[in-house]
Amino acid sequence: QKEVEQNSGPLSVPEGAIASLNCTYSDRGSQSFFWYRQYSGKSPELIMFIYSNGDKEDGRFTAQLNKASQYVSLLIRDSQPSDSATYLCAVTAGRRALTFGSGTRLQVQP
Amino acid sequence: NAGVTQTPKFQVLKTGQSMTLQCAQDMNHNSMYWYRQDPGMGLRLIYYSASEGTTDKGEVPNGYNVSRLNKREFSLRLESAAPSQTSVYFCASSGGNQPQHFGDGTRLSIL
């Protein structure tokens, strides 16, 4: 079983819709959870991070964490074609290095 | 503020050649990391350094060595390159429990 699992996609949504990206993790000791956006040929760019159960909102982005279910998600409201990218979920316990999922490719259709 | 700087950006090697990938950060971060990313996959940790003078193996360390030269610099060395090491290599740094910041990557092809 992979430590961090994501659906590879592509997830296709129309412009203006809500995109929902999901991630599950296996290590119950995980404490910190991150979403990175990666455009083709570019480096990962931090979008959101969340440490506590519940929701965290930043502009059009909302991260949701449920530690009991070992589940973290990213919602993108009012999706734009510029949001089309691969979204990487990453988790870590304490000061250890990040463990990444393989990413979900999002396509926002104009 | 340059953040994390990687050199070179592109490199082509022949099997058996050696080379060193350089990484430097100007954010005064204690921790630095080397990842590789293969097509359609997430990032896999090669080595990391929690502080100056310490290094630890990650998920895929075989065929690589690292040096934490000082707080700013963390280099990755391929002693005898193999085609399986063709990949995009990313260096990252972080301070405390803060998120990691990534460099632009080195695209390495081994023929």
Side-chain angles (χ1 to χ4, degrees), chain A:
Chain A
Q1 179 188 4
K2 293 177 67 175
E3 293 187 46
V4 180
E5 300 235 26
Q6 296 180 257
N7 188 319
S8 61
L11 173 66
S12 184
V13 300
E15 183 174 357
I18 296 175
S20 177
L21 303 160
N22 304 314
C23 171
T24 59
Y25 60 93
S26 60
D27 184 357
R28 286 197 170 273
S30 299
Q31 298 173 339
S32 305
F33 306 86
F34 305 88
W35 284 99
Y36 285 84
R37 177 175 64 196
Q38 187 175 29
Y39 292 113
S40 181
K42 301 296 186 182
S43 62
E45 172 192 11
L46 181 70
I47 298 297
M48 294 282 292
F49 60 91
I50 186 167
Y51 301 141
S52 303
N53 275 329
D55 294 0
K56 179 180 178 181
E57 186 174 320
D58 184 1
R60 296 187 296 114
F61 299 96
T62 299
Q64 299 175 317
L65 174 62
N66 184 326
K67 289 187 177 181
S69 300
Q70 295 175 246
Y71 176 94
V72 58
S73 65
L74 178 70
L75 301 178
I76 306 174
R77 290 181 298 280
D78 189 21
S79 295
Q80 301 296 310
S82 59
D83 294 326
S84 297
T86 296
Y87 289 78
L88 300 168
C89 173
V91 306
T92 188
R95 293 175 179 265
R96 294 199 332 237
L98 294 172
T99 299
F100 283 86
S102 57
T104 298
R105 188 158 61 97
L106 173 65
Q107 295 178 338
V108 180
Q109 306 295 335

Side-chain angles (χ1 to χ4, degrees), chain B residues 55-100:
Chain B
T55 61
D56 287 286
K57 294 180 180 179
E59 180 185 356
V60 288
N62 291 343
Y64 305 95
N65 286 301
V66 291
S67 295
R68 183 73 183 268
L69 305 171
N70 47 55
K71 192 171 186 177
R72 290 187 65 248
E73 298 173 287
F74 189 37
S75 62
L76 178 72
R77 183 162 178 83
L78 286 70
E79 292 291 353
S80 178
S84 60
Q85 295 177 305
T86 293
S87 190
V88 180
Y89 291 84
F90 289 102
C91 178
S93 71
S94 66
N97 287 325
Q98 294 303 305
Q100 293 180 19

